Structures are given as structure tokens and as C-alpha cells.
């Protein structure tokens, strides 16, 4: 690709309490798709000012990262049930069964990645179904989308419809093949060994997952401590373990590349275990609100060194757009929270949770040019201009007022993956 410079207002996280904001900014992208410069237009080096360029009044910010979502559930959003286990039986398992049909898997995968790029998500960690063939198709469409994708085939060997179950040796063999084909392909794709949760995975399967992930140096993603009924069922299935977290610890699936979805109900002792293993927690607030799982205790993570990410968790979350997850993160707390907290979570915080902070999550020289453009029209900004607003005020408008249709373009590695051409 040809190197270029974009002149635009720039916002980017430095930490959970600090964002840089250049109302009159410039972002330069080199021929490899990496960021060569991100800062004020005034300080742009002359060689970068000489590159091909374009200007926009849209705010340029790091592409959103979705650290937990389900490709195969995209078409069953909005179906309410009384609790998680009933919801899985009534809506999710029947939908996952449909992915055995390759044409259906292809169409849904294509739609899903298109919707993701349109929502401003440039990087995501995704579950597919237990069908290896449908997971292959999903990876083909992920590759075609040009997004940065961590993904894995769902693994279950009990307590779900027979056609979704696999004996551990077969599940591991299929996951190994998928790892060999897709992990680290094109520098954008990664594999995640994906046992669903303690209810639907035997000790044998969980142990095999832990071993495979360690041997292959890949991610593990799973669910934990989402609802009280689920926890009770897991403890009944694993009577030797005093907690859900210890089930996972004893099976060897808590690694520093493990992504644990939810963790709404968790003791301090369990958090100590998770912290010791360096695993990440992925908070999915829309799903917690929708399924009535409870309030994620954000305050329990203060002072801890646990990376806490943010996920849309479609289809328990209704939207792939991380703007909706950010707002839900604030609302589920029952109080207004500083806008940097959710905006950091959906960008650099998630990059840390996914161990991709050296590659993406902020606009810094040397990182991949993964960025989005967001429109902030007069209905939000009113009579103010960008130079009169500070980073906190801009972040607040983004988190609390922008909508999915305000995402105007998404770029990964400097290349356009989606643009709304109706300006
Ligand atoms: Zn989930």
C-alpha cells in the first residue's frame, strides 16, 4: 500500500485515566500499514506532510476491540428467557445446530464480519459452533474481511444436544487442525481453544483443552461465574472443587492467554487465583442486563493487576457495536462512571486483555494503523468547536451520545475495511 497522512481530530488512550486529544491532528500510515505518526498537525515531520493525504472532520480514534462475542448467535439476538440455561436450550443450541449446513454458515459468517466492521470493531475474540467445517468457513470469511480476529470452535461433551457434542479426542484433533491452518495466518488471525463452560465440559475435555492451548501457545476462551444457577450446577458436576475458578485451575486452563467471560459472582479468593495465573476477565454488561445475571463488581478490580476487558457477547448482548457495550458498562453500575473507563476498556484495555497491546488499541507510532472515524454532528457538539473541548469532554460525548450510525469508517493495518459513503 502507499503511505498516507490523514488530517483529523485525534483521540487515543494512554491509560485508564489519560487520553491524548489533538483537535487539529494528523495520523501518518507507512507502506506496511503501521502508524508512522500520531499527534498534532503542527508537529508533523515534513517528509510525512509530503505524503498523499486526506482531511476529515470525523474524529479518528483506535478501532474498537470486542473481547467476547458469538458469531453463531448473531441471528438470535433479542430472544429473552428467564435465565441463561433456559436461553441456551430454547434459542442458542437450535441456532448453533443450523451451522452444520455450509451455506447457512457462509451467509451468517459473511453478514457477521460485515456488521462488525460497520460497527467500528477492528479486533474481536469470537466463538463459533462445535462444527469444525463451519469454523473453517468462519475463518475464511474473517480472512476476507481483513479484520483482526481471535476465534475458536466451541467445545462441549455433555449437557447439550447430541449433535453439538464431541468426544474429547475428536474435539482436540479438530481444534489442532484448525490451529495448524489458521493460527497466526496473515498476521491477523489467531486461534482460541474454546470450551463453552463448566456445565457442558467434562474434566477430561477441560484438561485436554488446557494441554492443547499450552502446547500450541494459543488463547483459551470460556465462560465463568455468570449466574448463580450455573455456578451451582458446575459445583454439583465437579464436587471435588470448592469453586468454579478452581475447576478451571485444576484442569489447567487458567493461563496468561485465557479470556474468562463474565465473572459476575466471584469471591476474593477466586480473584486471587485468576490474578496469579495472569488470566483476563471479560466483562459483558449488555448480556448481564439482558439475562438478569447481576451487577459486575467493578470495584473489586481496583488495585488488582487483572486485565479486565469488555465484550458485546452477542446474542445475550443485542448489539455488535461497542458504543452500546460501553454505555451498558456504565449503566450496569447504577451510577455514572468517568467516560475514560469504558472507552479505555473497548480500546487499549481490551488490547491488554487480549495481549495485543504492542500491536493495537491506541494510536501510537509502530502499532498497526487500526482506526475508525466517528462523526460528531451539531446535534451533539452544538455551538462548541473541538478546540474548546478537552479529552474528557470528547470521550464523554463518544461514550454517552454517539450511536452506531456515527461510525463512518473502519481501518485495519491502514487499509479501509468499511466506509459509509453516504456523507
Ligand atoms: Zn458468551
Amino acid at each position: 500500500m502507499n503511505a498516507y497522512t490523514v488530517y483529523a481530530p485525534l483521540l487515543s488512550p494512554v491509560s485508564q485515566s489519560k487520553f491524548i486529544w489533538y483537535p487539529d491532528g494528523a495520523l501518518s500510515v507507512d507502506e506496511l500499514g503501521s502508524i508512522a505518526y500520531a499527534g498534532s498537525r503542527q508537529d508533523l515531520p515534513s517528509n510525512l506532510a509530503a505524503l498523499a493525504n486526506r482531511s476529515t472532520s470525523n474524529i479518528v480514534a483506535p478501532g474498537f476491540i470486542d473481547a467476547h462475542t458469538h458469531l453463531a448467535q448473531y441471528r438470535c439476538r433479542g430472544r429473552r428467557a428467564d435465565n441463561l440455561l433456559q436461553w441456551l436450550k430454547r434459542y442458542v443450541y437450535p441456532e448453533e445446530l443450523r451451522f452444520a449446513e455450509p451455506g447457512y454458515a457462509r451467509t451468517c459468517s459473511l453478514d457477521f464480519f460485515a456488521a462488525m466492521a460497520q460497527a467500528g470493531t477492528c479486533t474481536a475474540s469470537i466463538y463459533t459452533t462445535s462444527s469444525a467445517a463451519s469454523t473453517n468457513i468462519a475463518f475464511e470469511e474473517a480472512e476476507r474481511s481483513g479484520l483482526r480476529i481471535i476465534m475458536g470452535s466451541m467445545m462441549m461433551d455433555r449437557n447439550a444436544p447430541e449433535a453439538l457434542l464431541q468426544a474429547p479426542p475428536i474435539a482436540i484433533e479438530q481444534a489442532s487442525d484448525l490451529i495448524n491452518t489458521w493460527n497466526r495466518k496473515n498476521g491477523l488471525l489467531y486461534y482460541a481453544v474454546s470450551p463453552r463452560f463448566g456445565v457442558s465440559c467434562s474434566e477430561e475435555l477441560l484438561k485436554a483443552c488446557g494441554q492443547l492451548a499450552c502446547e500450541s501457545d494459543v488463547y483459551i476462551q470460556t465462560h465463568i461465574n455468570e449466574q448463580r444457577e450455573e455456578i451451582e450446577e458446575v459445583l454439583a458436576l465437579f464436587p471435588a472443587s470448592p469453586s468454579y475458578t478452581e475447576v478451571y485451575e485444576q484442569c489447567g486452563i487458567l493461563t496468561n492467554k485465557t479470556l474468562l467471560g463474565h465473572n459476575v459472582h466471584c469471591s476474593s479468593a477466586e480473584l486471587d487465583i485468576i490474578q496469579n495465573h495472569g488470566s483476563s476477565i471479560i466483562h459483558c454488561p449488555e448480556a448481564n442486563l439482558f439475562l438478569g445475571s447481576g451487577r459486575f463488581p467493578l470495584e473489586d478490580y481496583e488495585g488488582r493487576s487483572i486485565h479486565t476487558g469488555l465484550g458485546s457477547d452477542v446474542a445475550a448482548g443485542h448489539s455488535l457495536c461497542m458504543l452500546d457495550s460501553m454505555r451498558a458498562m456504565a449503566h450496569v453500575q447504577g451510577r455514572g462512571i468517568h467516560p475514560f473507563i469504558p472507552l479505555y476498556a473497548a480500546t487499549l484495555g481490551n488490547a491488554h486483555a487480549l495481549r495485543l497491546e504492542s500491536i493495537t488499541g491506541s494510536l501510537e507510532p509502530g502499532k498497526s494503523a487500526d482506526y475508525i472515524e466517528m462523526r460528531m454532528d451539531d446535534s451533539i457538539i452544538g455551538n462548541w468547536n473541538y478546540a474548546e473541548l478537552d479529552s474528557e469532554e470528547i470521550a464523554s460525548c463518544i461514550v454517552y451520545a454517539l450511536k452506531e450510525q456515527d461510525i463512518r469508517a473502519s481501518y485495519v493495518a491502514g487499509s479501509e475495511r468499511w466506509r459509509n459513503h453516504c456523507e
Side-chain angles (χ1 to χ4, degrees):
M1 63 181 282
N2 293 324
Y4 64 90
T5 293
V6 187
Y7 296 113
L10 293 190
L11 182 74
S12 180
V14 176
S15 68
Q16 202 181 57
S17 56
K18 185 179 179 193
F19 275 60
I20 55 161
W21 166 236
Y22 297 103
D24 193 11
L27 177 77
S28 295
V29 178
D30 69 20
E31 53 284 338
L32 297 174
S34 297
I35 296 171
Y37 178 85
S40 76
R41 180 172 182 160
Q42 196 185 328
D43 296 334
L44 181 69
S46 56
N47 62 319
L48 300 177
L51 295 174
N53 65 76
R54 62 185 169 86
S55 297
T56 176
S57 60
N58 293 330
I59 294 170
V60 166
F64 295 144
I65 301 173
D66 184 347
H68 180 127
T69 196
H70 296 258
L71 179 148
Q73 296 177 18
Y74 186 55
R75 290 193 180 182
C76 57
R77 288 168 292 155
R79 319 290 210 280
R80 208 200 79 81
D82 284 340
N83 65 42
L84 167 68
L85 301 176
Q86 288 177 18
W87 178 74
L88 289 171
K89 280 184 195 141
R90 175 74 180 91
Y91 301 113
V92 174
Y93 292 149
E95 180 65 10
E96 291 186 0
L97 282 164
R98 291 188 189 101
F99 278 70
E101 205 279 292
Y104 190 77
R106 177 79 60 193
T107 306
C108 289
S109 300
L110 206 148
D111 290 351
F112 179 83
F113 290 113
M116 191 164 256
Q118 188 169 337
T121 295
C122 295
T123 296
S125 189
I126 299 168
Y127 294 80
T128 61
T129 74
S130 53
S131 153
S134 86
T135 305
N136 249 319
I137 289 168
F139 266 111
E140 286 168 9
E141 293 306 325
E143 184 177 32
R144 206 190 310 265
S145 75
L147 301 178
R148 190 179 304 282
I149 298 297
I150 299 166
M151 192 156 60
S153 190
M154 190 72 88
M155 296 158 99
M156 296 189 281
D157 67 343
R158 63 178 173 185
N159 294 327
E162 194 65 31
L164 290 174
L165 304 182
Q166 287 164 322
I170 293 169
I172 294 299
E173 190 186 330
Q174 290 187 347
S176 300
D177 289 346
L178 288 163
I179 289 168
N180 291 335
T181 309
W182 295 107
N183 189 48
R184 297 189 174 274
K185 191 169 184 200
N186 296 344
L188 292 175
L189 303 176
Y190 303 85
Y191 197 80
V193 175
S194 307
R196 179 167 232 133
F197 66 154
V199 174
S200 61
C201 299
S202 68
E203 183 177 335
E204 183 191 353
L205 178 59
L206 289 174
K207 283 184 170 166
C209 286
Q211 197 180 347
L212 175 66
C214 285
E215 285 169 5
S216 310
D217 188 25
V218 296
Y219 293 94
I220 300 180
Q221 59 181 352
T222 188
H223 300 78
I224 193 169
N225 291 327
E226 183 174 358
Q227 292 201 339
R228 301 252 184 232
E229 298 91 334
E230 170 216 11
I231 295 167
E232 280 167 22
E233 197 155 336
V234 169
L235 295 180
L237 288 164
F238 295 89
S241 292
S243 71
Y244 204 154
T245 302
E246 281 154 284
V247 170
Y248 285 166
E249 183 185 42
Q250 284 154 12
C251 292
I253 67 165
L254 297 183
T255 74
N256 63 5
K257 289 175 85 173
T258 296
L259 315 173
L260 298 166
H262 297 294
N263 208 39
V264 176
H265 308 284
C266 181
S267 69
S268 172
E270 287 183 84
L271 279 186
D272 288 342
I273 294 170
I274 291 165
Q275 181 167 304
N276 289 341
H277 288 280
S279 303
S280 297
I281 299 294
I282 312 302
H283 174 30
C284 304
E286 283 218 301
N288 297 159
L289 288 165
F290 184 68
L291 292 173
S293 301
R295 186 187 71 89
F296 181 82
L298 201 55
E299 64 283 358
D300 289 357
Y301 293 81
E302 280 165 23
R304 285 193 176 270
S305 57
I306 300 174
H307 290 304
T308 313
L310 186 64
S312 68
D313 199 17
V314 161
H318 78 281
S319 163
L320 276 178
C321 185
M322 294 306 290
L323 290 167
D324 292 316
S325 290
M326 287 181 230
R327 269 189 291 279
M329 182 181 178
H331 295 158
V332 80
Q333 294 304 318
R335 61 189 168 95
I337 62 175
H338 193 289
F340 286 170
I341 294 172
L343 191 54
Y344 176 83
T347 53
L348 190 54
N350 266 349
H352 278 286
L354 302 181
R355 306 283 172 186
L356 294 175
E357 72 276 10
S358 64
I359 297 173
T360 191
S362 58
L363 305 178
E364 288 179 67
K367 285 194 179 185
S368 178
D370 298 356
Y371 64 94
I372 54 175
E373 293 184 18
M374 290 179 280
R375 175 186 62 186
M376 198 172 288
D377 65 24
D378 290 347
S379 72
I380 293 167
I381 202 155
N383 292 325
W384 301 70
N385 64 51
Y386 286 149
E388 293 173 305
L389 299 172
D390 64 20
S391 58
E392 180 181 340
E393 290 164 325
I394 287 292
S396 184
C397 290
I398 291 170
V399 170
Y400 291 111
L402 290 198
K403 298 186 174 61
E404 181 170 348
Q405 57 264 37
D406 297 313
I407 310 290
R408 307 308 282 177
S410 302
Y411 287 75
V412 175
S415 294
E416 185 181 294
R417 305 308 191 203
W418 178 79
R419 174 170 289 277
N420 186 329
H421 291 283
C422 309
E423 285 294 339

